[in-house]
Structure formats: C-alpha cells, structure tokens
Amino acid sequence: MALFDLTDKRLQPAVLGRPATDADRSAALAAVRRQITEVLRRPLLAIGWDQVVGGDALTALDAAGQVVTVEVIEVLDSTALLLAMARATNTALTGRDQLASRYPGAQPAFEQDWADFRGSMPVGSEPGPRLTLIATEIADDVRTCLGMVADSGVELHELRVRSTEDGRVLVSVELLRTDVTGQALELNGQTAAAAEGSDDPLPDDATVPTPVVAQSPAPQDGPQDDAPVAASPAGANSGHRLDAAVLGAEPTVPSGEASERALADIAQTLETPATLVWLRRRRGIDHRATLAADGTITLADGTSYRDPSTAANAAQNTQDIDGWRVWRVGVGGPSLRELLA
C-alpha cells in the first residue's frame, strides 16, 4: 500500500523513520526469504534456494504446477534483470526428476508433498508469473520498461526498509504496476536527484533492456518427466511506460522563454562549449551533451534543445524529468539548478 503526504495540494511520498542500516536490510531480506509465501500471498511448493549475484533465487512450483523462480536481491538494474530472466528461462525447463533430486527428502518426500500441495489447490488454478523479483533498490532503467517486463511474465516487487527511533524496523513489499510506473519514477526521482553526484563517477556499460521471455502453458498434472515446457509468445496488448498515466513533475524552471533565458545566462558564465553530464552509474544512466554559448543543448545523437528538461527527457526517452536537477557541468560538477542566479 502506497502512503503519501499531502503537501501544497501535491502528493509526496511519505517517509517514515530513517534509512535502515545494512544489518537491518540484511535481516529483512532473510525474513522475506523465510516467509516468501506470506510476502507474495501466493501458494508455492518450494524446491530449493540457490545463491545468485546480489541475493538468492528460489525454484518452486505454483498452484498450476508451473516451475517458477523467485529472486530476492538487493539491487535490480538492467544487467541483473537480464541475468535473472536468463536463469528463470533455464529453470522453467527443469523436469520432474530434477526437481525431486533437489527436494529435501528426495523423491519420496517430493511425491508426497507435491500430491498434498496439488490436492489443496482449487481446480483449474491459473499459472502465476514465471519470474518474481523482490529488490531493495530498482533502477530507473528497469522502471521505464516495466510494461514490457510485465508482459514477459515477470513480476517486480520493491522492498523498503526503514528504522524508527524506538528501535523498530519497518518493512514494506510493494508490487510495481504498469499503470503507476510514471508515478513511481517521479516519486523516486525527487529523492534520488538530491544524491545525483554521489554515484561512482566512472561510466557504466549497463544498457536499457528490451526483455522478451517465453511464457509457457501450465502442465495439467504438475511437472512432466524431464520434458521441456513449450513456449508461447507474450501477450499482444503490450504496455509501455509512456502509455501509462504520469503524475507530472514540476521542473525547476518551466519550459518556455524563461527557461531559455535562464539557460543562456548560465552558458555565459561558463567556458563554452561545456560538457553536460547526467550520470547515475548504479541505475544505468549515462548521458553526455554539449552546452553552447547561446544556451543550446546538443545531445549525443545530434538533436538540440533550448530547455534542460526537454533535453533530459529526450535523452532518456521518458517524461517529467527535471533537467535542471540531473544535468551537471562535467562529472561531479554543479547541477544547472545550482548555477541559477
């Protein structure tokens, strides 16, 4: 459940307590792993956990008998997403004998527990997502393609951990939906922009994924004997972040003549042409542009803009980004907002 503060007739994300310590986050992740079916509110027959980069992955059977993967990790960026999707694709091909060999108690225990689990499920149970990801940090490059990710049979949950003055640790697990992706980007961006310069200044090779994962029909009577699961294409009604409703962010200087004049004034104080950098290494964002003496911003693809926010949105293929906050003069230099007179 999302919780907001209403300030000046605008919804702002409510912040309870203070950022959790590394120890509290680790404890929360461990608790989520132990209580995964309660967290997801979804019946699963757990087969076994494996360590993966940045967390752990569970192989399980869902109510329809589909082999699924649940990963609980710390940071989900585009690279981690692609690796998780590749692992889930391989896991989906696991046969019955392989599952039984991994199950605690081996074949006899697996057969009995699977029969009990299947018997407790409603007739005609629908298969759930093939891959479920729970992460404490989700990069913007993943959020922007959430519609395509969801249509590929992947479900994303954001785990937030906060500490209170009286020693309590508050944990929330929120399902990210395609109809609120734009809102999630803006609300996260308001706090992330303040820390823009704190990321590692070295560029990153991460790229925005265009993920496609085969969605398989559920077996009628549970997992088959070492037979690969037939694939079917993703749904035709593919969504995209730009189709979703967006809660408009307010730029530092509204687009128009005022923005053009302010940017030109800043350019006159700099040695031009100046390099503008929008760098968020952990989030896979690395954009470079050139600021001319007349206040024109030229992106790497050659397109030019007179407004920082318009340029930022064009560079990231998104909307409602405050370019005055994200563009900096050089790596680690001041933001355009900080240079406003």
Side-chain angles (χ1 to χ4, degrees), residues 103-338:
Y103 194 76
Q107 187 83 26
F110 173 76
E111 295 289 354
Q112 181 61 55
D113 291 350
W114 166 243
D116 293 343
F117 178 80
R118 183 176 56 181
S120 65
M121 294 297 104
V123 176
S125 296
E126 294 291 330
R130 179 72 74 184
L131 171 63
T132 300
L133 294 165
I134 303 174
T136 57
E137 181 181 337
I138 300 177
D140 287 345
D141 59 354
V142 174
R143 295 178 188 272
T144 54
C145 63
L146 181 57
M148 290 182 289
V149 172
D151 288 336
S152 299
V154 181
E155 186 176 272
L156 302 184
H157 296 257
E158 186 169 18
L159 175 68
R160 297 176 180 174
V161 187
R162 307 283 295 182
S163 301
T164 63
E165 294 295 336
D166 59 2
R168 291 183 301 158
V169 177
L170 306 178
V171 180
S172 68
V173 181
E174 183 176 355
L175 172 65
L176 297 188
R177 302 179 183 276
T178 56
D179 56 349
V180 295
T181 309
Q183 174 177 323
L185 271 172
E186 182 213 347
L187 296 181
N188 280 277
Q190 289 178 3
T191 54
E196 191 72 36
S198 63
D199 281 333
D200 191 334
L202 297 177
D204 194 15
D205 292 330
T207 56
V208 179
T210 50
V212 177
V213 167
Q215 184 76 12
S216 305
Q220 296 301 311
D221 292 311
Q224 302 300 308
D225 293 330
D226 293 322
V229 183
S232 62
N237 297 324
S238 296
H240 188 273
R241 178 194 178 274
L242 297 181
D243 298 328
V246 173
L247 195 62
E250 292 292 337
T252 300
V253 180
S255 300
E257 292 185 6
S259 177
E260 293 179 12
R261 285 196 304 270
L263 186 58
D265 289 343
I266 290 176
Q268 292 300 315
T269 68
L270 301 174
E271 183 178 345
T272 54
T275 299
L276 299 182
V277 179
W278 177 11
L279 179 63
R280 297 302 304 278
R281 184 175 184 273
R282 288 177 299 172
R283 298 180 183 275
I285 298 175
D286 187 357
H287 298 299
R288 310 298 168 108
T290 301
L291 176 63
D294 64 353
T296 300
I297 297 176
T298 303
L299 300 180
D301 63 1
T303 56
S304 298
Y305 304 90
R306 299 297 300 275
D307 174 64
S309 298
T310 305
N313 286 313
Q316 186 64 12
N317 191 26
T318 184
Q319 52 187 323
D320 295 336
I321 296 295
D322 185 356
W324 294 91
R325 291 175 178 265
V326 301
W327 288 118
R328 292 182 174 273
V329 180
V331 176
S335 69
L336 293 179
R337 183 185 184 189
E338 293 168 342

